[in-house]
């Protein structure tokens, strides 16, 4: 700033400013810098929120994938158990038929 002698005016950025307008300019500059700093802080907070949400979503997605794999394993195990049950039911049927034939033979032997 370069002061003019006895005039009470200053040159700021090539423009002449009176002393009485200086507090207004300082207040305006403070308000504008406050708005800019507030906006920068808000944008930083928004970015941090996005990162936090993304990490939560990734964790949720990995947990869901883990649960899906567990369910698929249970379905496979259930299918195998169903096949074992069917095989066992078939064997029981054969054993019952064999026992029935054995009883018939025993009955014939007793009848003789």
């Amino acid at each position: 700033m370069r002061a003019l002698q006895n005039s009470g005016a200053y040159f700021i950025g090539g423009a002449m400013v009176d002393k009485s307008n200086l507090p207004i300019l300082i207040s305006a500059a403070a308000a504008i810098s406050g708005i800019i700093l507030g906006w920068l802080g808000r944008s930083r907070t928004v970015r941090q929120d996005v990162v936090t949400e993304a990490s939560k979503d990734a964790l949720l997605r990995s947990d869901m994938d883990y649960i899906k794999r567990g369910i698929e394993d249970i379905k496979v195990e259930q299918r195998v158990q169903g096949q074992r049950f069917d095989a066992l039911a078939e064997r029981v049927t054969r054993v019952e038929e064999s026992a029935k034939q054995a009883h018939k033979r025993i009955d014939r032997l007793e009848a003789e």
Side-chain angles (χ1 to χ4, degrees), residues 13-30:
M16 192 166 96
V17 177
D18 189 20
K19 271 186 178 181
S20 62
N21 291 336
L22 196 56
I24 295 171
L25 291 174
I26 292 173
S27 299

Side-chain angles (χ1 to χ4, degrees), residues 71-90:
I71 290 172
E72 289 172 2
D73 291 344
I74 291 171
K75 284 181 179 180
V76 168
E77 183 71 26
Q78 187 178 13
R79 212 171 287 127
V80 169
Q81 288 294 335
Q83 290 171 351
R84 287 179 185 165
F85 179 78
D86 291 343
L88 184 61
E90 185 177 329

Side-chain angles (χ1 to χ4, degrees), residues 31 47 56 58 63 69 84 91 95:
R47 280 194 306 266
K56 285 181 184 176
D63 287 346
R69 278 180 279 167
R84 287 179 185 165
R91 287 179 64 192
V95 168

Side-chain angles (χ1 to χ4, degrees), residues 31-108:
I32 290 172
S33 67
I35 291 170
I36 291 171
L37 290 174
W39 187 265
L40 291 175
R42 182 185 176 281
S43 64
R44 181 174 181 251
T45 302
V46 167
R47 280 194 306 266
Q48 288 175 344
D49 288 347
V50 167
V51 168
T52 303
E53 285 296 320
S55 65
K56 285 181 184 176
D57 288 347
L59 181 62
L60 182 63
R61 193 172 301 251
S62 67
D63 287 346
M64 284 178 42
D65 288 341
Y66 178 75
I67 292 170
K68 280 182 185 178
R69 278 180 279 167
I71 290 172
E72 289 172 2
D73 291 344
I74 291 171
K75 284 181 179 180
V76 168
E77 183 71 26
Q78 187 178 13
R79 212 171 287 127
V80 169
Q81 288 294 335
Q83 290 171 351
R84 287 179 185 165
F85 179 78
D86 291 343
L88 184 61
E90 185 177 329
R91 287 179 64 192
V92 167
T93 303
R94 288 182 191 160
V95 168
E96 287 174 344
E97 289 172 358
S98 177
K100 186 177 180 182
Q101 290 175 359
H103 282 293
K104 285 182 183 178
R105 284 194 300 266
I106 291 171
D107 289 342
R108 265 189 287 156

Side-chain angles (χ1 to χ4, degrees), residues 1-2 4 10-17:
M1 283 192 257
R2 185 176 61 177
L4 293 177
Y10 295 96
F11 277 100
I12 298 176
M16 192 166 96
V17 177

